[in-house]
Amino acid sequence: MKNILLIGGSYGIGLAIAKELQFENNVYIASRSNENLSEVKATHISFDATTDTIDTSQLPTVIDGLVYCPGSINLRPFKGLKPEAFETDLQINFISLVKVIQSVLPNLLASEQASIVTFSSVAATMGMPFHTSVAASKGAIEGFAKALAAEYAPKIRVNVIAPSLTDTPLADKFLNNETKQEKSAERHPLKRFGKPEDSAQMATFLLSDKSSWISGQIFHVDGGMSTLLVNG
């Protein structure tokens, strides 16, 4: 069985990934909350990605897979954004990711071939109004992942999932009524917004040996939004 570490796994996409992985892997979840973890078979480690350094003594010597789930959706007009807002988004989305990977790098290198999966956004590829801060921090992830994948090939594979709007607690204010849900679904060529399971199933694949010849890739799990023009 593989040892998989999820950073953030108590709700949303992270919880969906844990549910996918729990029966065929040893799952470790490092998160602030464990309120939903009665639903999954996993070892919980109390951890705040924005402030803490992960306690590697609570982890196995070998980590075969790492998924970094924390993120932000900070949509505001550029003229109203202070530099501090960019710094905050960069911290949770990118800098904390770097710190986690550096902390567990020896554990990853101890694996026969480890897999790192992290999350970007469709906004890093498409120019969208009010997305300057989140697009900047997610774009940093994509560039970093490719460089890291090159540096550690073939020992560690690194891939990125770039979803569109997905029905998670983080996105609740954008999907909290029927009108918003209908408008969001209509914007996507596949005529629905994302479910946590959509990204979770891609992450599970990228952690598995079935993807052993894939690294340095950005996977757009976005209902076709980033590549299909069907409403023009």
Side-chain angles (χ1 to χ4, degrees):
M1 296 178 73
K2 291 180 181 287
N3 296 323
I4 308 295
L5 172 61
L6 305 182
I7 306 299
S10 56
Y11 66 90
I13 293 173
L15 181 60
I17 294 171
K19 289 179 178 179
E20 291 275 344
L21 294 173
Q22 61 180 322
F23 299 114
E24 297 182 4
N25 303 273
N26 299 314
V27 179
Y28 297 80
I29 297 176
S31 64
R32 290 177 295 180
S33 169
N34 65 351
E35 60 182 318
N36 296 316
L37 298 187
S38 60
E39 305 175 31
V40 297
K41 180 183 176 184
T43 299
H44 181 255
I45 300 168
S46 182
F47 176 70
D48 186 332
T50 60
T51 58
D52 298 340
T53 299
I54 195 162
D55 182 1
T56 56
S57 69
Q58 299 185 60
L59 297 172
T61 303
V62 177
I63 295 177
D64 302 293
L66 169 65
V67 186
Y68 185 86
C69 300
S72 60
I73 305 178
N74 184 15
L75 307 188
R76 293 167 56 191
F78 175 71
K79 66 180 181 181
L81 281 172
K82 295 182 178 180
E84 291 79 10
F86 286 84
E87 292 174 356
T88 298
D89 282 343
L90 195 65
Q91 179 67 49
I92 182 63
N93 287 287
F94 178 60
I95 301 299
S96 295
L97 164 67
V98 171
K99 290 180 178 178
V100 166
I101 293 175
Q102 290 183 330
S103 294
V104 302
L105 186 58
N107 309 65
L108 292 165
L109 289 170
S111 174
E112 184 175 338
Q113 186 190 66
S115 174
I116 296 174
V117 178
T118 189
F119 286 88
S120 178
S121 164
V122 66
T125 299
M126 299 182 66
M128 296 180 173
F130 314 125
H131 283 69
T132 52
S133 184
V134 66
S137 60
K138 295 298 190 179
I141 290 172
E142 295 191 5
F144 166 77
K146 292 178 182 179
L148 190 69
E151 186 167 340
Y152 283 95
K155 193 65 175 175
I156 301 175
R157 297 185 296 109
V158 187
N159 292 290
V160 180
I161 298 172
S164 183
L165 187 63
T166 301
D167 189 11
T168 67
L170 192 64
D172 181 65
K173 65 182 178 180
F174 305 107
L175 295 170
N176 58 9
N177 62 53
E178 190 172 329
T179 299
K180 291 180 181 179
Q181 292 174 7
E182 289 176 354
K183 287 183 177 179
S184 177
E186 190 60 30
R187 281 196 297 270
H188 294 81
L190 296 185
K191 301 306 177 188
R192 69 170 175 86
F193 48 85
K195 299 181 293 185
E197 292 75 17
D198 296 320
S199 292
Q201 288 162 9
M202 176 59 79
T204 300
F205 168 70
L206 293 172
L207 292 167
S208 75
D209 292 338
K210 294 178 181 179
S211 63
S212 63
W213 210 42
I214 299 174
S215 191
Q217 303 302 311
I218 315 298
F219 291 90
H220 291 272
V221 184
D222 61 11
M225 177 176 280
S226 62
T227 53
L228 305 181
L229 179 61
V230 300
N231 296 320

